[in-house]
Amino acid sequence: MQTMAERIVIPGGALDPHVHFRQPGATHKEDFTTGTRAALVGGYTAVFDMPNNPIPTMTPAALDEKRRLAHGNIYIDVGFNYGGTLESSQTFQLVIDRVRALKVYMNPTTGNLLVESDKELETIFSMWPKKHPIMVHAEGPTFERAINMARKTGQRLHLCHMSLASEMQMIIDAKEEGLPVTAEVSAHNLFLTEDDAKHMPHGMGMVKHPLATEKDRQALWDNIDAIDIIASDHAPHTKEEKDKFEEGKGPYGVTGLETTLPLMLTAVNAGWLSMEKLVDMISTKPREIFRLKSDSQTYTEVILGDRPHVIDAKDLETRAKQTPFDGYMVTGRVANVDLRGVRILREGEIVGLPQGRVL
Ligand code: NCD
Ligand code: ZN
Ligand code: ZN
Ligand code: ZN
């Protein structure tokens, strides 16, 4: 294996369209400041915040409150995804220019934005203006129902955090059919299995989509060319909350903003994917799907083939201070980030002020 360190520029910096910053309503887990600090250290120049807060982002008022709270407190750019329900579909036209995507939850997860019937789903899909894509949380059999709805309504569909070999096959088939579908994978589903989850304390491996079998994990790598983007699905919960899994049921979700790029660079070092594919998955493709322009003064510089170092949960910027990759060895690192010509991360240290923009 090569050990020569090499610096590589990711034009535009990394873009993550799937993070949960928890403000307002659960800032003991994360807020816009801690969340964007974690994102910056992780090499991101823009992220999109998901709508599943205690008061969900499914009204113009809730959206504007988030935009107000973020303003002046973010280290990188932050956009917002709108929650799709029958009720919120009445307001789609009012918010379309202030959001980046619609998010529809088709299975239970953190929050209560669940949409279960195909009838409601069809109304929501039909009402959504075609300017931005529809992102869905859809697991297993539900995955196929989402694809069917994209076929029926002609909407651009983005399938979040896929993890199963069967889902991989459905994506391949849908793309062959020419449907406008894109697929997202998270690092934890590329690196970990249900067996790893069993050996982790604090329900640390409990996440939706669940960590799956080794066969599923391998299917993702075998078909990585059919996966469009990598998103962190950064979903912070405190240790105390995750501990509740020891008595049965705690909140699903793991942090990911600070570990995704180092892990993926390690995968490049190991020859599991090319650096070109990684740049595509973390910057070029998400910018294309979510129609976010960048400029030549904004970029992330990473180090490939770095000397091995160990991920340590207590060094993380995220308020949740935990990761399923605690103690994991990586050989890639985020060095520098420039945002619109201003250096905001220097050799891994935050040097900028909270000058990110609300997108
Ligand atoms: C997410 C969260 O905690 O907000 N949890 C998760 O397990 N991924 C919600 C989600 O993306 O499903
Ligand atoms: Zn989800
Ligand atoms: Zn414990
Ligand atoms: Zn999520």
Side-chain angles (χ1 to χ4, degrees):
M1 209 210 302
Q2 68 129 19
T3 46
M4 277 285 281
E6 189 188 349
R7 286 179 178 249
I8 293 170
V9 167
I10 302 175
L15 164 63
D16 191 340
H18 187 161
V19 306
H20 303 266
F21 280 169
R22 314 299 193 197
Q23 188 174 4
T27 52
H28 63 287
K29 301 176 197 257
E30 198 79 289
D31 63 23
F32 287 119
T33 303
T34 56
T36 55
R37 286 177 69 88
L40 173 53
V41 166
Y44 295 89
T45 54
V47 297
F48 302 159
D49 179 52
M50 283 296 182
N52 61 331
N53 297 68
I55 296 174
T57 322
M58 54 171 283
T59 62
L63 173 65
D64 290 337
E65 173 69 353
K66 270 198 176 178
R67 295 175 67 88
R68 188 185 68 75
L69 290 166
H71 183 83
N73 294 310
I74 48 181
Y75 283 80
I76 58 153
D77 296 349
V78 177
F80 294 97
N81 298 327
Y82 201 58
T85 62
L86 201 53
E87 195 188 331
S88 76
S89 66
Q90 299 301 315
T91 59
F92 287 171
Q93 295 290 345
L94 301 173
V95 300
I96 188 67
D97 292 327
R98 307 203 293 295
V99 297
R100 310 306 313 190
L102 185 72
K103 176 64 181 289
V104 180
Y105 292 89
M106 295 175 64
N107 301 98
T109 184
T110 308
N112 51 15
L113 276 167
L114 187 60
V115 175
E116 275 175 310
S117 82
D118 276 346
K119 191 163 166 284
E120 286 185 21
L121 195 66
E122 187 172 348
T123 305
I124 295 162
F125 269 54
S126 308
M127 298 280 280
W128 182 245
K130 288 196 168 142
K131 182 177 176 190
H132 294 305
I134 298 179
M135 305 173 82
V136 289
H137 174 126
E139 299 177 39
T142 313
F143 203 87
E144 186 157 33
R145 286 175 46 222
I147 293 173
N148 289 341
M149 201 53 76
R151 182 188 296 110
K152 196 164 181 182
T153 58
Q155 286 284 5
R156 284 198 291 142
L157 178 71
H158 180 77
L159 294 138
C160 292
H161 48 51
M162 55 177 297
S163 72
L164 302 175
S166 58
E167 293 166 348
M168 191 70 249
Q169 193 52 52
M170 286 185 240
I171 284 287
I172 292 169
D173 293 346
K175 287 188 171 190
E176 245 161 45
E177 191 188 327
L179 295 177
V181 299
T182 51
E184 163 195 303
V185 71
S186 299
H188 45 266
N189 289 119
L190 283 174
F191 284 82
L192 304 173
T193 64
E194 57 189 5
D195 189 56
D196 295 312
K198 276 189 208 123
H199 297 104
M200 279 178 206
H202 305 291
M204 209 45 259
M206 301 306 277
V207 60
K208 308 267 185 148
H209 289 37
L211 300 182
T213 66
E214 179 57 23
K215 191 172 144 279
D216 290 306
R217 193 184 76 84
Q218 205 51 56
L220 301 180
W221 282 111
D222 289 346
N223 297 284
I224 195 90
D225 285 341
I227 305 178
D228 298 276
I229 75 161
I230 177 137
S232 69
D233 187 19
H234 181 78
H237 298 285
T238 66
K239 277 203 179 68
E240 292 68 30
E241 290 166 333
K242 295 296 272 182
D243 261 347
K244 299 209 169 97
F245 272 106
E246 282 164 17
E247 290 113 51
K249 199 170 150 37
Y252 290 88
V254 298
T255 68
L257 279 169
E258 293 165 85
T259 47
T260 297
L261 253 178
L263 286 163
M264 293 308 290
L265 291 166
T266 305
V268 172
N269 282 323
W272 298 350
L273 82 169
S274 67
M275 189 62 209
E276 291 69 33
K277 174 64 178 170
L278 175 54
V279 171
D280 205 49
M281 288 179 96
I282 208 152
S283 176
T284 319
K285 212 50 186 293
R287 265 167 234 288
E288 237 171 71
I289 296 168
F290 298 95
R291 299 191 174 147
L292 185 71
K293 287 204 182 72
S294 186
D295 64 277
S296 60
Q297 306 270 79
T298 298
Y299 63 88
T300 294
E301 190 189 63
V302 296
I303 303 178
L304 192 61
D306 188 25
R307 42 173 209 287
H309 65 273
V310 171
I311 294 171
D312 187 340
K314 63 180 188 311
D315 294 342
L316 297 176
E317 291 286 342
T318 174
R319 185 161 284 153
K321 293 270 183 286
Q322 55 171 326
T323 162
F325 294 103
D326 193 25
Y328 218 82
M329 180 96 78
V330 288
T331 57
R333 188 153 53 101
V334 177
N336 297 311
V337 175
D338 272 27
L339 184 66
R340 290 178 281 274
V342 178
R343 177 125 314 176
I344 54 175
L345 188 82
R346 177 174 292 130
E347 299 305 325
E349 299 291 327
I350 296 173
V351 292
L353 298 168
Q355 283 169 336
R357 287 184 188 158
V358 177
L359 297 170

